Amino acid sequence: MEGEPRPGDVVVRGFVFDMPSVFEDFVTVTLRQALVGSGGRCSVRDTMYLDDRNAIRMRPDFGWYSDGGTPLAVADAKYKVGSRMGYPDADLYQMLAYCTALGLTEGHLLYAKGHAPHTAHRIKRAGITLHQHALELDQPPAGLLADIQTLAHHLTSAVP
């Protein structure tokens, strides 16, 4: 057929974003900025271990530590959308492991969207509460940054 492009005649240029990585980077950078002036230091994807022999490696997306190195808060960003049934249980197990290894009584999972802005689960016989926060990404930047600031306040209010 005349006028039809042949294979190789059309060049398409584009690029692909790894959206889970973009979301994790956005959350960790803005959360760190929101905690400026709160004291301590922030860490991003630092390696830690669940066991005494350092065989079970973990890397939470975000940690906040006192100036002396005591863990104060832990958070993990998840580029997932919650269903009416909630988020995957595996995320909660992962955060429970982070809290256990760090000796924290609270942990925070940060999702790209959800049906409720915040849900909390108190873990039986562990004394640990796991928070699930939904960040609505389809809003103006100022609103999203305000939500991150609120989240940072939530993290700091749990510190004794």
Side-chain angles (χ1 to χ4, degrees), residues 13 94 119:
R13 288 185 169 77
Q94 180 183 24
T119 302

Side-chain angles (χ1 to χ4, degrees), residues 62-73:
F62 185 84
W64 181 43
Y65 297 85
S66 72
D67 290 327
T70 302
L72 301 174

Side-chain angles (χ1 to χ4, degrees), residues 65-150:
Y65 297 85
S66 72
D67 290 327
T70 302
L72 301 174
V74 64
D76 214 48
K78 303 289 185 186
Y79 189 69
K80 299 177 183 177
V81 176
S83 70
R84 296 218 183 275
M85 300 301 290
Y87 300 101
D89 290 346
D91 297 344
L92 294 165
Y93 303 144
Q94 180 183 24
M95 184 53 63
L96 180 59
Y98 292 160
C99 290
T100 300
L102 293 169
L104 293 171
T105 59
E106 294 193 10
H108 301 269
L109 291 159
L110 318 174
Y111 292 94
K113 187 175 175 76
H115 291 279
H118 175 256
T119 302
H121 305 278
R122 181 101 173 128
I123 306 304
K124 293 178 185 179
R125 294 180 286 285
I128 296 173
T129 301
L130 304 177
H131 299 272
Q132 293 174 305
H133 306 272
L135 296 170
E136 297 299 329
L137 303 181
D138 61 347
Q139 62 176 317
L144 185 55
L145 294 173
D147 288 350
I148 295 285
Q149 190 66 46
T150 300

Side-chain angles (χ1 to χ4, degrees), residues 35-86:
L35 287 170
V36 168
S38 298
R41 67 172 180 83
C42 298
S43 69
V44 175
R45 294 181 198 93
D46 281 353
T47 298
M48 58 185 243
Y49 297 91
L50 182 60
D51 65 320
D52 291 333
R53 293 183 308 136
N54 293 343
I56 306 170
R57 184 176 66 96
M58 301 185 300
R59 295 183 68 206
D61 290 332
F62 185 84
W64 181 43
Y65 297 85
S66 72
D67 290 327
T70 302
L72 301 174
V74 64
D76 214 48
K78 303 289 185 186
Y79 189 69
K80 299 177 183 177
V81 176
S83 70
R84 296 218 183 275
M85 300 301 290

